[in-house]
Amino acid sequence: VLGALAARAAGRPFDRFLQARVFEPLGMVDTGFAVPPGSLARFGPCYGVDEAGERSVYDETEGGWATPPAFPSGGAGLVSTVADYLTFARMLLSGGVHEGERLLSAELVAAMTTNHLTAEQLTTAAPDPSGGQGWGFGVGVQVRSTPTSPIGSYGWAGGLGSTWANDPATGTIGVVLTNQMRTSPEPPPLYVDFSAAGF
């Protein structure tokens, strides 16, 4: 819904709005709603787990992200690289500034990265059923420290294997991109080990 509203307010399709206002100013040359034909050799399949519990291909290299979607979603669907994701994360950690240029107001970044759920909603409508994480505007916000996420950190855990988080208290950024779908709300062992190593 937010993507549709942004497109309506901008007077242009959501993918073109993101390209002009986010990806191009940040130099995110490998981020979009589809992988260009010339870049498919750098893009692999996504794996999931079938009904028998066996690892299987969920989406082929030339599958769902090989062509632009009919409706670019504001909640999912982008493909990216570690370098592009890191650039985006640094901009947010810098309060909306990239290479000395302000792209987002400090007030907007603060609103994006602050939990807006009530205490009741934290246990009923939050990304973490234990109540440890709430929602900012477009990111999950940690309201209670866990072994993998310090309080005040924020980011996004994608169901298809991507995880990113910023910790403003330490200035730390963590980006983990895999091609393995998550199978539960619990973080996969790889992310737990990555976080324990220094996030």
Side-chain angles (χ1 to χ4, degrees), residues 113 133 140-143 148-155 165-168 199:
T113 59
Q133 190 179 62
V141 179
Q142 206 65 33
V143 296
T148 59
S149 302
I151 191 169
S153 62
Y154 59 86
N166 283 356
D167 181 5
F199 179 72

Side-chain angles (χ1 to χ4, degrees), residues 8 12 42 47 52 56 61 64 67 71 86 90 116 122 126 132 134 136 140 154 167 173 176 181-183 194:
R8 179 67 62 90
R12 66 176 97 173
R42 300 168 51 209
Y47 294 92
S56 61
T61 298
T67 56
F71 184 79
L86 182 60
R90 282 179 173 153
H116 295 282
L122 283 172
Y154 59 86
D167 181 5
I173 299 170
V176 177
M181 291 177 65
R182 293 179 73 151
T183 57
F194 177 82

